[in-house]
Amino acid sequence: MLNDIVTQRKSDFADGVHTELRQQCNRSRGVSVISGNPTGNSRSEVSGVSARVYKNGVYGFSSMADMSAEAAQSVLKAATENAEFLASHAGRGGSVAPTGTEPVIRDCAVSDPEQKIYTDFARELDSYIGEKYKKLSGRGVSVRTGSMEKILAVSDGSDGHTIIPRSYVYIRLTAETDSGVPVELFEPVGGLGTFDKVFTAPQALYGKVDALYEKLMQKR
């Protein structure tokens, strides 16, 4: 989880303007196995801070790919100066309606399984396909997860801390017709939630694999 570095800066918000200060971290995890061979294994995180300031009908904006208190202070200062400058040259009037006053908290206690969980899952599902279906000319299993975590401090409205995780397993099966033409079917499985909550075990997807294989045999 993110360590809050933006709500403590609310005392630095300029008077008479609408200010939004945000820190964000996008996380992604991925594993791929093609016909028994591992072809991908990755973990990444991209984070930063940004500020948006509204004055007299125009916005000033600034961002940095740095997650620190100094970066938060810097983008806040730059966005405020940008808004002041634009308002003095192109201001149109108008105000921003506040979005609320109660903090928004959503799914902030989410898990981050170790990478081995993903690799073991993909390998076991791939092994099931390879051992059971010998008529396939190719197969692929990919595990993909991602989450977007934000902490938002707002001068006139609701502060918030939200995490939106998504997890998917992609299954690809390939066979050939009697004349040697390749035929492929692909199915994604998953949805909203962390990997350990969306997928209990590889065995839970065996039925999906069996149904996809039957469709593939009919298509070929």
Side-chain angles (χ1 to χ4, degrees), residues 6-49:
V6 295
T7 57
Q8 58 188 292
R9 304 238 68 93
K10 293 185 74 171
S11 60
D12 297 330
F13 287 7
D15 295 331
V17 297
H18 176 85
T19 302
E20 302 166 5
L21 182 60
R22 178 179 68 178
Q23 62 184 110
Q24 179 171 329
C25 181
N26 296 341
R27 303 179 180 91
S28 65
R29 315 290 187 241
V31 170
S32 298
V33 178
I34 297 179
S35 298
N37 299 309
T39 59
N41 189 346
S42 63
R43 292 173 69 91
S44 67
E45 295 188 5
V46 180
S47 60
V49 293

CSV table of all heavy atoms in Angstrom, one decimal, residues 6-49:
chain,number,residue,atom,x,y,z
A,6,VAL,N,0.3,13.1,0.3
A,6,VAL,CA,-0.4,14.2,-0.3
A,6,VAL,C,-1.4,14.9,0.7
A,6,VAL,O,-1.5,16.1,0.6
A,6,VAL,CB,-1.1,13.8,-1.6
A,6,VAL,CG1,-0.1,13.3,-2.6
A,6,VAL,CG2,-2.2,12.7,-1.3
A,7,THR,N,-2.1,14.2,1.5
A,7,THR,CA,-3.1,14.8,2.4
A,7,THR,C,-2.4,15.8,3.4
A,7,THR,O,-3.0,16.8,3.8
A,7,THR,CB,-3.9,13.8,3.1
A,7,THR,OG1,-3.1,12.9,3.9
A,7,THR,CG2,-4.8,13.0,2.1
A,8,GLN,N,-1.1,15.4,3.7
A,8,GLN,CA,-0.4,16.3,4.7
A,8,GLN,C,0.0,17.6,4.1
A,8,GLN,O,0.4,18.5,4.8
A,8,GLN,CB,0.8,15.5,5.2
A,8,GLN,CG,1.8,15.1,4.0
A,8,GLN,CD,2.9,14.2,4.5
A,8,GLN,OE1,3.8,14.7,5.3
A,8,GLN,NE2,2.9,13.0,4.1
A,9,ARG,N,-0.1,17.7,2.7
A,9,ARG,CA,0.2,19.0,2.0
A,9,ARG,C,-1.0,19.9,1.8
A,9,ARG,O,-0.8,20.9,1.2
A,9,ARG,CB,0.8,18.6,0.7
A,9,ARG,CG,2.0,17.7,0.7
A,9,ARG,CD,3.2,18.3,0.1
A,9,ARG,NE,3.8,19.5,0.8
A,9,ARG,CZ,4.7,19.4,1.8
A,9,ARG,NH1,5.2,18.2,2.1
A,9,ARG,NH2,5.1,20.4,2.4
A,10,LYS,N,-2.1,19.5,2.4
A,10,LYS,CA,-3.3,20.4,2.2
A,10,LYS,C,-3.2,21.7,2.8
A,10,LYS,O,-3.8,22.7,2.3
A,10,LYS,CB,-4.6,19.7,2.7
A,10,LYS,CG,-4.9,18.4,1.9
A,10,LYS,CD,-6.2,17.8,2.4
A,10,LYS,CE,-7.4,18.6,2.0
A,10,LYS,NZ,-8.7,17.9,2.2
A,11,SER,N,-2.3,21.9,3.8
A,11,SER,CA,-2.1,23.2,4.4
A,11,SER,C,-1.3,24.1,3.4
A,11,SER,O,-1.3,25.3,3.6
A,11,SER,CB,-1.3,23.0,5.7
A,11,SER,OG,0.0,22.4,5.4
A,12,ASP,N,-0.7,23.5,2.4
A,12,ASP,CA,0.0,24.3,1.4
A,12,ASP,C,-0.9,24.7,0.2
A,12,ASP,O,-0.4,25.4,-0.7
A,12,ASP,CB,1.2,23.6,0.9
A,12,ASP,CG,2.2,23.2,1.9
A,12,ASP,OD1,2.3,24.0,2.9
A,12,ASP,OD2,2.9,22.2,1.8
A,13,PHE,N,-2.1,24.3,0.2
A,13,PHE,CA,-3.0,24.6,-1.0
A,13,PHE,C,-3.3,26.1,-0.9
A,13,PHE,O,-3.5,26.7,0.1
A,13,PHE,CB,-4.4,23.9,-0.8
A,13,PHE,CG,-4.3,22.4,-1.2
A,13,PHE,CD1,-3.1,21.8,-1.4
A,13,PHE,CD2,-5.5,21.7,-1.2
A,13,PHE,CE1,-3.0,20.4,-1.7
A,13,PHE,CE2,-5.4,20.3,-1.5
A,13,PHE,CZ,-4.2,19.7,-1.7
A,14,ALA,N,-3.3,26.7,-2.1
A,14,ALA,CA,-3.5,28.2,-2.2
A,14,ALA,C,-5.0,28.5,-1.9
A,14,ALA,O,-5.9,27.7,-2.2
A,14,ALA,CB,-3.1,28.7,-3.6
A,15,ASP,N,-5.2,29.7,-1.4
A,15,ASP,CA,-6.6,30.1,-1.1
A,15,ASP,C,-7.3,30.6,-2.4
A,15,ASP,O,-6.6,31.1,-3.3
A,15,ASP,CB,-6.6,31.3,-0.1
A,15,ASP,CG,-6.0,30.9,1.2
A,15,ASP,OD1,-6.2,29.7,1.6
A,15,ASP,OD2,-5.4,31.8,1.9
A,16,GLY,N,-8.6,30.4,-2.5
A,16,GLY,CA,-9.4,30.9,-3.6
A,16,GLY,C,-9.3,30.1,-4.9
A,16,GLY,O,-9.8,30.5,-5.9
A,17,VAL,N,-8.7,28.9,-4.8
A,17,VAL,CA,-8.6,28.0,-6.0
A,17,VAL,C,-9.0,26.6,-5.6
A,17,VAL,O,-8.9,26.2,-4.4
A,17,VAL,CB,-7.2,28.0,-6.7
A,17,VAL,CG1,-6.9,29.4,-7.2
A,17,VAL,CG2,-6.2,27.5,-5.7
A,18,HIS,N,-9.4,25.9,-6.6
A,18,HIS,CA,-9.7,24.4,-6.4
A,18,HIS,C,-8.5,23.6,-6.7
A,18,HIS,O,-7.9,23.7,-7.8
A,18,HIS,CB,-10.9,24.0,-7.3
A,18,HIS,CG,-11.2,22.5,-7.1
A,18,HIS,ND1,-12.0,22.0,-6.2
A,18,HIS,CD2,-10.8,21.5,-7.9
A,18,HIS,CE1,-12.1,20.7,-6.3
A,18,HIS,NE2,-11.3,20.3,-7.4
A,19,THR,N,-8.0,22.8,-5.7
A,19,THR,CA,-6.8,22.1,-5.9
A,19,THR,C,-7.0,20.6,-5.7
A,19,THR,O,-7.7,20.2,-4.7
A,19,THR,CB,-5.7,22.6,-4.8
A,19,THR,OG1,-5.5,24.0,-5.0
A,19,THR,CG2,-4.4,21.8,-5.0
A,20,GLU,N,-6.4,19.8,-6.5
A,20,GLU,CA,-6.3,18.3,-6.4
A,20,GLU,C,-4.9,17.9,-6.5
A,20,GLU,O,-4.2,18.2,-7.4
A,20,GLU,CB,-7.2,17.7,-7.5
A,20,GLU,CG,-8.6,18.2,-7.6
A,20,GLU,CD,-9.3,17.8,-8.9
A,20,GLU,OE1,-8.6,17.0,-9.7
A,20,GLU,OE2,-10.4,18.2,-9.1
A,21,LEU,N,-4.5,17.2,-5.4
A,21,LEU,CA,-3.1,16.6,-5.4
A,21,LEU,C,-3.2,15.1,-5.3
A,21,LEU,O,-3.9,14.6,-4.4
A,21,LEU,CB,-2.4,17.2,-4.2
A,21,LEU,CG,-0.9,16.8,-4.0
A,21,LEU,CD1,-0.1,17.2,-5.2
A,21,LEU,CD2,-0.3,17.4,-2.7
A,22,ARG,N,-2.5,14.4,-6.2
A,22,ARG,CA,-2.7,12.9,-6.3
A,22,ARG,C,-1.4,12.2,-6.4
A,22,ARG,O,-0.4,12.7,-7.0
A,22,ARG,CB,-3.5,12.6,-7.6
A,22,ARG,CG,-3.7,11.1,-7.8
A,22,ARG,CD,-4.5,10.9,-9.0
A,22,ARG,NE,-3.8,11.2,-10.3
A,22,ARG,CZ,-4.3,11.1,-11.5
A,22,ARG,NH1,-5.5,10.6,-11.7
A,22,ARG,NH2,-3.6,11.4,-12.5
A,23,GLN,N,-1.3,11.1,-5.7
A,23,GLN,CA,-0.2,10.2,-5.9
A,23,GLN,C,-0.8,8.8,-6.4
A,23,GLN,O,-1.9,8.5,-6.0
A,23,GLN,CB,0.6,9.9,-4.6
A,23,GLN,CG,-0.2,9.3,-3.5
A,23,GLN,CD,0.6,9.2,-2.2
A,23,GLN,OE1,0.3,9.9,-1.2
A,23,GLN,NE2,1.5,8.2,-2.2
A,24,GLN,N,-0.1,8.2,-7.3
A,24,GLN,CA,-0.6,7.0,-8.0
A,24,GLN,C,0.4,6.0,-8.3
A,24,GLN,O,1.6,6.3,-8.6
A,24,GLN,CB,-1.3,7.4,-9.3
A,24,GLN,CG,-1.9,6.2,-10.1
A,24,GLN,CD,-2.8,6.7,-11.2
A,24,GLN,OE1,-3.4,7.8,-11.2
A,24,GLN,NE2,-2.8,5.9,-12.3
A,25,CYS,N,0.1,4.7,-8.1
A,25,CYS,CA,1.0,3.6,-8.4
A,25,CYS,C,0.3,2.6,-9.3
A,25,CYS,O,-0.8,2.1,-8.8
A,25,CYS,CB,1.6,3.0,-7.2
A,25,CYS,SG,2.7,1.6,-7.5
A,26,ASN,N,0.8,2.3,-10.4
A,26,ASN,CA,0.2,1.2,-11.3
A,26,ASN,C,1.1,0.0,-11.2
A,26,ASN,O,2.3,0.1,-11.5
A,26,ASN,CB,0.1,1.7,-12.7
A,26,ASN,CG,-0.9,2.8,-12.9
A,26,ASN,OD1,-1.7,3.1,-12.0
A,26,ASN,ND2,-0.7,3.6,-14.0
A,27,ARG,N,0.6,-1.1,-10.8
A,27,ARG,CA,1.3,-2.4,-10.7
A,27,ARG,C,0.8,-3.4,-11.7
A,27,ARG,O,-0.3,-3.5,-11.9
A,27,ARG,CB,1.2,-2.9,-9.3
A,27,ARG,CG,1.6,-2.0,-8.2
A,27,ARG,CD,1.4,-2.6,-6.8
A,27,ARG,NE,1.7,-1.7,-5.7
A,27,ARG,CZ,0.9,-0.8,-5.1
A,27,ARG,NH1,-0.4,-0.8,-5.5
A,27,ARG,NH2,1.3,0.0,-4.1
A,28,SER,N,1.8,-4.1,-12.2
A,28,SER,CA,1.4,-5.2,-13.2
A,28,SER,C,2.3,-6.4,-12.9
A,28,SER,O,3.5,-6.3,-12.6
A,28,SER,CB,1.5,-4.8,-14.6
A,28,SER,OG,2.9,-4.5,-14.9
A,29,ARG,N,1.7,-7.6,-13.1
A,29,ARG,CA,2.4,-8.9,-13.0
A,29,ARG,C,2.0,-9.8,-14.2
A,29,ARG,O,0.9,-9.8,-14.6
A,29,ARG,CB,2.0,-9.6,-11.7
A,29,ARG,CG,1.9,-8.7,-10.4
A,29,ARG,CD,3.3,-8.3,-10.0
A,29,ARG,NE,3.2,-7.6,-8.7
A,29,ARG,CZ,3.7,-6.4,-8.5
A,29,ARG,NH1,4.1,-5.7,-9.6
A,29,ARG,NH2,3.7,-5.8,-7.3
A,30,GLY,N,3.0,-10.5,-14.7
A,30,GLY,CA,2.7,-11.3,-15.8
A,30,GLY,C,3.5,-12.6,-16.0
A,30,GLY,O,4.7,-12.5,-15.7
A,31,VAL,N,2.9,-13.7,-16.4
A,31,VAL,CA,3.6,-14.9,-16.6
A,31,VAL,C,3.0,-15.6,-17.9
A,31,VAL,O,1.8,-15.6,-18.0
A,31,VAL,CB,3.5,-15.9,-15.4
A,31,VAL,CG1,4.0,-17.3,-15.8
A,31,VAL,CG2,4.2,-15.4,-14.2
A,32,SER,N,3.8,-16.1,-18.7
A,32,SER,CA,3.4,-16.8,-20.0
A,32,SER,C,4.1,-18.1,-20.1
A,32,SER,O,5.3,-18.2,-19.9
A,32,SER,CB,3.6,-15.9,-21.2
A,32,SER,OG,2.9,-14.7,-21.1
A,33,VAL,N,3.3,-19.1,-20.5
A,33,VAL,CA,3.9,-20.4,-20.8
A,33,VAL,C,3.3,-20.8,-22.2
A,33,VAL,O,2.1,-20.9,-22.4
A,33,VAL,CB,3.5,-21.5,-19.8
A,33,VAL,CG1,4.0,-22.8,-20.2
A,33,VAL,CG2,4.1,-21.0,-18.4
A,34,ILE,N,4.1,-21.2,-23.1
A,34,ILE,CA,3.7,-21.6,-24.5
A,34,ILE,C,4.2,-23.0,-24.7
A,34,ILE,O,5.4,-23.3,-24.7
A,34,ILE,CB,4.2,-20.7,-25.6
A,34,ILE,CG1,3.6,-19.2,-25.4
A,34,ILE,CG2,3.9,-21.2,-26.9
A,34,ILE,CD1,4.1,-18.2,-26.4
A,35,SER,N,3.3,-23.9,-24.8
A,35,SER,CA,3.6,-25.3,-25.1
A,35,SER,C,4.6,-25.9,-24.1
A,35,SER,O,5.6,-26.6,-24.6
A,35,SER,CB,4.0,-25.5,-26.6
A,35,SER,OG,3.0,-25.2,-27.4
A,36,GLY,N,4.5,-25.6,-22.9
A,36,GLY,CA,5.4,-26.1,-21.8
A,36,GLY,C,6.6,-25.2,-21.6
A,36,GLY,O,7.4,-25.5,-20.6
A,37,ASN,N,6.9,-24.2,-22.4
A,37,ASN,CA,8.1,-23.4,-22.3
A,37,ASN,C,7.7,-22.0,-21.7
A,37,ASN,O,6.9,-21.3,-22.2
A,37,ASN,CB,8.7,-23.2,-23.6
A,37,ASN,CG,9.2,-24.5,-24.3
A,37,ASN,OD1,9.8,-25.3,-23.6
A,37,ASN,ND2,8.8,-24.8,-25.5
A,38,PRO,N,8.3,-21.7,-20.6
A,38,PRO,CA,8.1,-20.3,-20.0
A,38,PRO,C,8.7,-19.3,-21.0
A,38,PRO,O,9.8,-19.3,-21.4
A,38,PRO,CB,9.0,-20.3,-18.7
A,38,PRO,CG,9.2,-21.7,-18.4
A,38,PRO,CD,9.2,-22.5,-19.7
A,39,THR,N,7.8,-18.3,-21.3
A,39,THR,CA,8.2,-17.3,-22.3
A,39,THR,C,8.1,-15.8,-21.7
A,39,THR,O,8.6,-14.9,-22.4
A,39,THR,CB,7.4,-17.3,-23.6
A,39,THR,OG1,6.0,-17.1,-23.2
A,39,THR,CG2,7.6,-18.6,-24.3
A,40,GLY,N,7.6,-15.7,-20.5
A,40,GLY,CA,7.5,-14.4,-19.9
A,40,GLY,C,7.3,-14.5,-18.4
A,40,GLY,O,6.6,-15.4,-17.9
A,41,ASN,N,8.0,-13.6,-17.7
A,41,ASN,CA,7.9,-13.5,-16.2
A,41,ASN,C,8.2,-12.1,-15.8
A,41,ASN,O,9.4,-11.8,-15.8
A,41,ASN,CB,8.8,-14.6,-15.6
A,41,ASN,CG,8.6,-14.7,-14.1
A,41,ASN,OD1,7.9,-13.9,-13.4
A,41,ASN,ND2,9.1,-15.8,-13.5
A,42,SER,N,7.2,-11.3,-15.4
A,42,SER,CA,7.5,-9.9,-15.2
A,42,SER,C,6.7,-9.4,-14.0
A,42,SER,O,5.6,-9.8,-13.7
A,42,SER,CB,7.2,-9.1,-16.4
A,42,SER,OG,5.8,-9.2,-16.7
A,43,ARG,N,7.3,-8.4,-13.4
A,43,ARG,CA,6.7,-7.6,-12.3
A,43,ARG,C,7.1,-6.1,-12.5
A,43,ARG,O,8.3,-5.9,-12.7
A,43,ARG,CB,7.1,-8.0,-10.9
A,43,ARG,CG,6.6,-9.4,-10.5
A,43,ARG,CD,7.2,-9.8,-9.2
A,43,ARG,NE,6.7,-9.1,-8.1
A,43,ARG,CZ,5.6,-9.4,-7.3
A,43,ARG,NH1,4.9,-10.5,-7.7
A,43,ARG,NH2,5.2,-8.6,-6.3
A,44,SER,N,6.2,-5.2,-12.5
A,44,SER,CA,6.6,-3.8,-12.7
A,44,SER,C,5.7,-2.9,-11.8
A,44,SER,O,4.5,-3.2,-11.5
A,44,SER,CB,6.5,-3.4,-14.1
A,44,SER,OG,5.1,-3.4,-14.6
A,45,GLU,N,6.2,-1.8,-11.5
A,45,GLU,CA,5.5,-0.7,-10.8
A,45,GLU,C,5.9,0.6,-11.3
A,45,GLU,O,7.1,0.9,-11.5
A,45,GLU,CB,5.7,-0.8,-9.3
A,45,GLU,CG,5.2,-2.0,-8.6
A,45,GLU,CD,5.4,-1.9,-7.1
A,45,GLU,OE1,5.7,-0.8,-6.5
A,45,GLU,OE2,5.1,-2.9,-6.4
A,46,VAL,N,4.9,1.4,-11.7
A,46,VAL,CA,5.1,2.8,-12.2
A,46,VAL,C,4.4,3.8,-11.3
A,46,VAL,O,3.2,3.6,-11.1
A,46,VAL,CB,4.7,2.9,-13.6
A,46,VAL,CG1,4.9,4.4,-14.1
A,46,VAL,CG2,5.4,1.9,-14.5
A,47,SER,N,5.0,4.7,-10.7
A,47,SER,CA,4.4,5.6,-9.7
A,47,SER,C,4.8,7.1,-9.9
A,47,SER,O,5.8,7.4,-10.6
A,47,SER,CB,4.7,5.2,-8.3
A,47,SER,OG,6.1,5.2,-8.1
A,48,GLY,N,4.0,8.0,-9.3
A,48,GLY,CA,4.3,9.4,-9.4
A,48,GLY,C,3.3,10.2,-8.7
A,48,GLY,O,2.4,9.7,-8.1
A,49,VAL,N,3.4,11.5,-8.8
A,49,VAL,CA,2.5,12.5,-8.2
A,49,VAL,C,2.1,13.5,-9.3
A,49,VAL,O,2.8,13.8,-10.2
A,49,VAL,CB,3.1,13.2,-7.0
A,49,VAL,CG1,3.4,12.2,-5.9
A,49,VAL,CG2,4.4,13.9,-7.4
